[in-house]
């Protein structure tokens, strides 16, 4: 018996005891007490926002101060308020800190306001719910479990509901699940016959008093288990009777339902997975580097503090003129100076680093949003960066995990070609059978039933159909019009088909356009228009498709009285059942090979004449199997086999599962960028494999490994590892052994069931768990623990081996996988390969995968938007992924790396001047600059040029970035920012600070100005060093800039001019009069900078700082140029963009062929529904008849 945790929800009064005794199931009741109480379950409101008006300020500040650098500067601000240890004014820290906190808070507020608006829009949608006996309009957020609701055509479903009735025959309801899985073909749901019978009118719905026991909320989209108790009867419930939140009602005027799961309990929300806070690899590295700087800061401050204690003991105590009135010991003075140096050297930890990074990321996100080459005009959908924190990670992707349906494909099936009687049709030919290059569409205007949407170019086929010279051609399209499970309805006089799969819809539509239109069907008949003549055929049996049979058949009686079987299916199963005298067997096989080489989905058509006596005998067996109480499906399949033999082959169809534009080109370019693409799909294996060939993930030279091959390889590897295990293995270094010989192009195709078996993820049966005894002794407990640990180790080793094996393959396709398995595969690669991953999809079944990957991309523009809501980036077409990664991602990575390297350099160059100065001031923590210069250095004097480089710089153009995908690998290998680069920047900053200090120091020693006065005072020295520093760091950014614009040049020279302007203003007498304590460098700038000697010192200092950098850059680009250097050097010659050419498939007759079995649907079709008559409008039966004879599934009519 299945076990479900208890979730009690407003149980019916007279059944409360029973509900409590069960202690298993969720109880949902529709009984309304007089004083209505809120359900104990969650409300239907969706909440994605983080703050409200009261919590924003405290919560946001708390989150910001959780960041180590912000908290550090808060502590620093407190220390600066202590006069005994502070040599620096408090505002030097307060101003930058407030700027950082303010900008981040504004950004967070804007993001959260957008989330509030989105939540409000969804929660305030309206729906009709029974209140006080009548349907009333209420908001979605007020819907509760147990409410009876009414939905109309094109309404979104607000919660997971049990379908009670609808306006369609037998309470059918058609839903579109694009929001869940990206598929736009309609699926049908059907209510219980008892609720269909009695719950059609408002009064009956208002008095409905049933209750439901069902499973607890879970994420299984295709599973549901429950029981409806009503009128002293129990009725089983399954997924076919449940309408899920996020789906849309289609082709159904009105339907009624009972809310079972609401809000966060709905399956679509359960599938959304846990929201993870995503951070980039550079973020983590940057934090470690900041921690490294913290350690350096503490060590330097401690060393200088010890130096001060020693100096005080040796010099200070004996210098009467240095006495400050305090009799502190040298060690205590050293302790105070430790905190003083923590304050003075605080700019080693750059407070403006984080806010500058956020500004750059924000700008880069807007560049993605504004990119017209990623704008899809057809649906007015621009690219959208839904997060601003992951841009540079786009330049470091190793693995892409992609959904298939709606992501790689358009989910549009098109009839392209066919082979009839050994002849191939579908090429560009005129009515005289002459091929020509002129493209001219076939005119179907002669056919009144044609929908005008089929693009076909072979005029010769139309001529053959109309002339009737080859009866097999008419027979071929007649078969397509009659052998299917498609439903038909008429909207405004127009025929509209509802198919279980888009493939089947494409074939029936093709037959309609070629003159054989399916018009209507009843339980026992089907009506077809054959070139304008309507004929009705009696349906004797429908032999439905399933994934094992890979075919479907229909047995009909013609108006003339003859009986025929028509069959369509995969060539592998059809060829086994053909009559041995079929003349066109080889020609059709050759055509199938050609279609397969063009990556078309193929299907064989055949028929058979049946004698009256033969059918009568077979029908007895068929009726017996139809009502078998056990193993019914197996019994039916066995009976089907008896009649589906000695078939006559008519030909084959070829359908194109249309890829989105540019998919093969995008995959080819991403592969050249050393990015591996894995396709994770819920579709069947053959279909996924065919798409693999269509988008050039797989080629004719690819060796494909399947689940059974992988299982045996992993089993052998596990045995070898176990044999090599032991004490010696623990000390031996791990040696990686490849699974395959090098040089071979291999791909892996694996199903979800094999994935579970290989990764040891199969669930243990509940019965086995219940039989386990609890350990009684310590020894038993220890053995149980060791056993569990060994099992976990075995599972972990097996999973690691699987990831190693899969990563050796050039492509991996996982089919028939659940949303949970998609996320698991992504997590395995993240865990064992430590690689940066990207997941891309378009449906709710991709949400978990999108959230698990480092970066999630949603395909927007489709009707399903759930994936987009959970994604980090979204756009309308898969082809835009190459531009997102190879252009925006690579540029963002390069810009961020340059920015960080320069930022650390300029801060070390600025701060360590204090360090060198301390050797000449008794380690007294005196600053080498004016206080206002320290305050404004990172805010005004050196911020704009580096921000613009982080926003605008590019080593090569976007066209060259796309043309040379190999440039992308620098990000994958972390070549531009790592600990080595960090220490190089640190060393550069140290050397620059030495030059900035010692050259002016040497110049100031024993000098006299031209006016006879000595300019070698402390304030003049501070101005000289500060001026040289500002010019040096701004010119250095000029050397680092690859892409010059007017804005860059203006920012560099503007920053220098701004520095001098502010300095002369702050050193003026006027401002000193107003604020004498804050501005103490009165007249220093004008006095010092009028000396030519000072200007020569500044020029010499800047030259010594920059000339070695220029020399090293020149030698590096000349002797060891990078790939981007080479491309930049020859960019004019490379400007013409290379056109991508599709790989040519070489067809070899007789070679082993590959074909996709025809994907009828993911499950059985509508045959049950059709043959039972439930889709046909009829008189309702009395309730007694429903209860007494409600189990019949098949009804067949045999005409004598």
């Amino acid at each position: 018996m299945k076990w479900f945790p208890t979730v009690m929800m407003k149980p019916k009064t007279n059944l409360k005891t029973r509900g409590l005794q069960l202690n298993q199931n969720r109880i949902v009741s529709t009984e309304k007490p007089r004083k209505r109480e809120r359900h104990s379950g969650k409300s239907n409101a969706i909440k994605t926002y983080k703050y409200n008006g009261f919590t924003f300020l405290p919560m946001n500040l708390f989150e910001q101060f959780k960041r180590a650098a912000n908290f550090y500067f808060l502590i620093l601000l407190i220390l600066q308020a202590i006069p005994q240890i502070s040599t620096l004014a408090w505002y030097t820290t307060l101003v930058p800190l407030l700027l950082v906190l303010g900008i981040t808070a504004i950004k967070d507020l804007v993001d959260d306001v957008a989330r509030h608006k989105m939540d409000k829009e969804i929660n305030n949608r309206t729906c009709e719910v029974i209140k006080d006996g009548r349907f009333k309009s209420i908001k979605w957020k007020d819907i509760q479990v147990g409410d009876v609701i009414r939905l109309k055509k094109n309404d979104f479903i607000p919660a997971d509901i049990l379908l009670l009735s609808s306006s369609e025959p037998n309470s059918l309801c058609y839903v579109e699940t694009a929001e869940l899985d990206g598929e736009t073909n309609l699926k049908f749901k059907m209510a219980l016959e008892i609720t269909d019978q009695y719950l059609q009118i408002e009064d009956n719905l208002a008095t409905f008093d049933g209750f439901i026991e069902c499973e607890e909320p879970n994420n299984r989209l295709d599973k549901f288990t429950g029981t409806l108790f009503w009128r002293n009867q129990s009725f089983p419930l399954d997924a076919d009777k449940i309408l899920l939140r996020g789906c849309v009602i289609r082709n159904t005027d009105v339907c009624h339902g009972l809310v079972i799961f609401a809000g966060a309990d709905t399956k679509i929300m359960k599938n959304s997975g846990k929201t993870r806070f995503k951070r980039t690899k550079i973020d983590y590295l940057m934090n470690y580097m900041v921690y490294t700087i913290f350690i350096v800061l503490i060590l330097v401050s401690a060393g200088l503090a010890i130096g001060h204690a020693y100096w005080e003991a040796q010099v200070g105590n004996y210098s009467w003129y240095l006495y400050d009135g305090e009799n502190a010991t040298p060690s205590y003075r050293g302790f105070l100076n430790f905190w003083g140096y923590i304050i003075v050297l605080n700019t080693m930890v750059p407070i403006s680093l984080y806010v500058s990074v956020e500004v750059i990321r924000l700008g880069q996100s807007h560049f993605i949003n504004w990119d017209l080459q990623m704008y899809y005009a057809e649906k007015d959908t621009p690219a959208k960066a839904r997060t601003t924190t992951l841009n540079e990670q786009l330049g470091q992707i190793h693995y892409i995990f992609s959904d298939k349906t709606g992501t790689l494909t358009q989910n549009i099936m098109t009839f392209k070609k066919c082979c009839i009687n050994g002849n191939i049709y579908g090429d560009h030919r005129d009515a005289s059978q002459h091929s020509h290059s002129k493209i001219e569409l076939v005119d179907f205007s002669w056919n009144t039933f044609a929908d005008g949407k089929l693009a076909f170019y072979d005029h010769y086929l139309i001529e053959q159909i109309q002339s009737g010279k080859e009866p097999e051609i008419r027979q071929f399209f007649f078969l397509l019009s009659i052998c299917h499970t498609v439903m038909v309805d008429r909207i405004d006089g127009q025929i509209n088909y509802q198919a279980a799969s888009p493939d089947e819809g494409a074939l029936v539509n093709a037959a309609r356009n070629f003159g054989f239109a399916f018009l209507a069907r009843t339980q026992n008949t089907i009506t077809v228009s054959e070139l304008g003549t309507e004929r009705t055929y009696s349906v004797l049996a429908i032999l439905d498709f399933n994934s094992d049979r890979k075919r479907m058949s229909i047995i009909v009686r013609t108006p003339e009285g003859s009986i025929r079987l028509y069959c369509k299916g995969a060539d592998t199963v059809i060829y086994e059942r053909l009559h041995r005298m079929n003349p066109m067997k080889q020609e059709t096989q050759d055509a199938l090979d050609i279609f397969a080489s063009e990556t078309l989905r193929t299907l064989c058509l055949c028929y058979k004449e049946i004698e009256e006596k033969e059918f009568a005998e077979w029908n007895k067996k068929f009726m017996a199997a139809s009502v078998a109480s056990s193993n019914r499906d197996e019994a039916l399949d066995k009976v089907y086999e008896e009649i589906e033999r000695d078939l006559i082959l008519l030909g084959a169809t070829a359908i194109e599962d249309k890829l989105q534009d540019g998919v093969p080109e995008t995959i080819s370019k991403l592969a050249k960028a050393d990015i591996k693409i894995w396709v994770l799909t819920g579709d069947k294996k053959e279909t996924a494999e065919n798409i693999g060939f269509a988008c050039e993930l797989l080629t004719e030279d690819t060796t494909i490994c399947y689940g059974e091959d992988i299982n045996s390889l992993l089993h052998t590897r596990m045995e070898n590892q176990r044999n090599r295990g032991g004490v010696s293995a623990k000390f031996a270094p791990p040696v990686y052994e490849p699974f395959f010989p090098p040089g071979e192009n291999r791909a892996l195709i694996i199903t979800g069931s094999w994935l579970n078996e290989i990764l040891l993820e199969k669930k243990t049966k509940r019965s086995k768990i219940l039989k386990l005894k609890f350990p009684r002794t310590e020894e038993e407990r220890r053995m149980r623990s060791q056993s569990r640990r060994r099992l976990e180790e075995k599972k972990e080793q097996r999973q690691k081996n699987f990831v190693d094996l899969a990563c050796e393959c050039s492509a991996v396709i996982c089919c028939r996988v659940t949303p949970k398995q998609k996320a698991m595969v992504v997590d395995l690669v993240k865990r064992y390969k430590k690689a940066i991953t990207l997941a891309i999809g378009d449906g709710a079944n991709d949400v978990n995968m999108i959230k698990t990957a480092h970066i999630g991309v949603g395909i927007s523009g489709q009707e399903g938007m759930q994936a987009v809501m959970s994604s980090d980036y979204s756009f309308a077409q898969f082809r835009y992924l190459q531009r997102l990664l190879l252009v925006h991602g690579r540029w963002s990575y390069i810009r961020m790396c340059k920015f960080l390297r320069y930022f650390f350099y300029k801060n070390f160059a600025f701060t360590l001047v204090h360090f060198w100065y301390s050797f000449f001031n008794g380690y007294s923590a005196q600053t080498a600059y004016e206080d206002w210069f320290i305050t404004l250095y990172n805010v005004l004097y050196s911020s704009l040029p580096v921000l613009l480089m982080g926003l605008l710089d590019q080593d090569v153009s976007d066209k060259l970035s796309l043309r040379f995908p190999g440039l992308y690998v620098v990000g994958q290998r972390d070549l531009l920012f790592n600990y080595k680069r960090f220490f190089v920047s640190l060393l550069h900053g140290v050397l620059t600070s030495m030059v900035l200090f010692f050259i002016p120091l040497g110049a100031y020693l024993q000098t006299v100005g031209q006016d006879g006065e000595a300019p070698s005072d402390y304030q003049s020295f501070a101005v000289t060093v500060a001026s040289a520093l500002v010019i040096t760091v701004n010119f250095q950014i000029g050397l680092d800039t690859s892409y010059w614009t007017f804005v860059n040049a203006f920012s560099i020279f503007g920053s220098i001019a701004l520095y001098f302007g502010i300095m002369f203003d702050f050193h003026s007498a006027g401002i000193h009069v107003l604020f004498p304590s804050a501005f103490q460098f009165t007249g220093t700038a004008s006095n010092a900078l009028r000396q030519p000697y000072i200007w020569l010192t500044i020029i010499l200092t800047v030259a010594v700082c920059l000339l070695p950098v220029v020399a090293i850059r020149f030698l590096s680009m000349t002797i060891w140029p990078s790939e981007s250097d080479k491309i930049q050097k020859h960019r004019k010659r490379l400007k013409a963009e290379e056109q991508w050419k599709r790989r040519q498939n070489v067809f070899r007759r007789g070679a082993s062929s590959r074909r996709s079995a025809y994907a009828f649907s993911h499950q059985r079709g509508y045959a049950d529904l059709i043959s039972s008559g439930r889709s046909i409008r009829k008189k309702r039966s009395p309730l007694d008849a429903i209860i007494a004879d409600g189990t019949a599934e098949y009804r067949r009519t045999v005409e004598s």
Side-chain angles (χ1 to χ4, degrees), residues 1175-1198:
S1175 64
I1176 314 303
R1177 198 176 292 278
K1178 59 181 181 183
K1179 186 177 179 181
R1180 300 188 182 278
S1181 309
L1183 179 62
D1184 294 342
I1186 296 172
I1187 296 172
D1189 195 29
T1191 59
E1193 292 190 29
Y1194 294 89
R1195 297 175 187 173
R1196 301 288 186 268
T1197 302
V1198 180

Side-chain angles (χ1 to χ4, degrees), residues 279 315 361 399 416 484 570 601 722 754 807 813 941 1047 1072 1100 1131 1158:
R279 299 176 67 185
V315 180
R361 286 172 173 167
Y399 292 88
K416 296 294 286 184
H484 54 78
R601 295 158 69 108
R722 191 158 46 244
W754 270 113
C807 290
I813 298 175
Y941 301 154
V1047 181
H1072 173 71
L1100 177 63
R1131 60 185 179 276
Y1158 170 55

Side-chain angles (χ1 to χ4, degrees), residues 893-911:
Y893 173 74
I894 292 171
R895 289 164 179 168
M896 187 59 71
C897 292
K898 275 190 173 185
F899 166 80
L900 291 173
R901 295 200 309 263
Y902 174 78
F903 207 95
F904 286 126
Y905 152 76
K906 79 180 180 72
N907 271 55
F908 271 92
F910 164 63
T911 306

Side-chain angles (χ1 to χ4, degrees), residues 98 180 238 270 280 383 433 636 686 878 908 935 1117 1127:
L98 287 177
L180 295 178
D238 57 25
K270 287 288 181 184
T280 66
Q433 204 177 351
L636 282 170
E686 294 86 353
F878 181 84
F908 271 92
T935 305
M1117 291 181 67
I1127 292 168

Side-chain angles (χ1 to χ4, degrees), residues 359-393:
V359 169
I360 288 171
R361 286 172 173 167
L362 184 65
Q364 290 167 347
S365 299
H366 282 299
F367 291 151
I368 292 172
N369 298 344
W370 297 335
D371 191 343
L372 290 177
Q373 295 189 54
M374 294 171 68
Y375 169 71
Y376 190 52
E378 191 173 314
K379 292 191 175 179
D380 189 27
T381 308
K384 177 71 175 174
R386 299 176 57 81
T387 180
T388 60
T389 59
L390 302 173
N391 297 324
E392 68 271 12
Q393 191 117 302

Side-chain angles (χ1 to χ4, degrees), residues 24-135:
Q24 292 175 345
N25 297 357
R26 179 186 181 98
I27 309 294
V28 180
S29 169
T30 57
E31 190 175 272
K32 308 292 188 291
R34 288 179 184 178
K35 291 183 180 180
R36 186 177 181 100
E37 298 175 1
R38 271 315 268 189
H39 286 288
S40 59
K42 298 178 182 177
S43 75
N44 199 44
I46 298 299
K47 175 187 170 183
T48 61
Y49 60 84
K50 292 167 65 177
Y51 313 109
N52 59 37
F54 297 104
T55 63
F56 172 73
L57 198 59
M59 279 185 67
N60 188 262
L61 286 174
F62 175 71
E63 286 183 1
Q64 290 203 60
F65 282 122
K66 282 198 297 186
R67 182 175 274 168
N70 290 345
F71 185 71
Y72 163 76
F73 278 99
L74 180 64
I75 299 298
L76 201 68
L77 187 62
I78 296 169
L79 290 175
Q80 282 183 285
I82 303 172
Q84 286 83 358
I85 62 174
S86 180
T87 59
L88 205 57
W90 54 269
Y91 52 79
T92 59
T93 299
L94 181 65
V95 172
L97 183 62
L98 287 177
L99 194 67
V100 168
L101 296 176
I103 291 175
T104 307
I106 290 169
K107 174 182 167 293
D108 291 342
L109 181 64
V110 170
D111 288 346
D112 210 57
V113 167
R115 284 192 286 266
H116 267 280
K117 287 180 180 177
M118 194 173 295
D119 289 348
K120 188 176 179 181
E121 180 189 341
I122 292 172
N123 291 331
N124 287 341
R125 290 177 181 173
T126 58
C127 176
E128 290 184 285
V129 177
I130 287 214
K131 296 267 190 180
D132 303 321
R134 290 288 175 265
F135 278 110

Side-chain angles (χ1 to χ4, degrees), residues 562-578:
S562 60
I563 300 174
R564 280 193 172 183
L565 177 145
Y566 293 99
C567 180
K568 64 183 181 185
D571 58 302
T572 51
V573 295
I574 295 295
Y575 266 60
E576 294 171 359
R577 291 160 178 80
L578 292 179

Side-chain angles (χ1 to χ4, degrees), residues 129-193:
V129 177
I130 287 214
K131 296 267 190 180
D132 303 321
R134 290 288 175 265
F135 278 110
K136 295 181 180 178
S137 181
I138 69 168
K139 295 177 179 179
W140 275 23
K141 64 182 178 182
D142 298 323
I143 292 173
Q144 300 177 21
V145 172
D147 281 338
V148 175
I149 67 176
R150 176 163 67 191
L151 298 171
K152 296 179 181 177
K153 189 175 180 180
N154 299 329
D155 280 353
F156 277 95
I157 299 170
D160 290 353
I161 65 174
L162 168 68
L163 180 62
L164 298 175
S165 62
S166 81
S167 57
E168 291 299 298
N170 294 283
S171 288
L172 275 174
C173 179
Y174 296 99
V175 294
E176 184 180 274
T177 60
E179 188 85 7
L180 295 178
D181 53 20
E183 296 186 5
T184 53
N185 53 295
L186 301 188
K187 307 200 174 46
F188 74 90
K189 305 287 182 178
M190 188 165 56
L192 290 165
E193 290 193 37

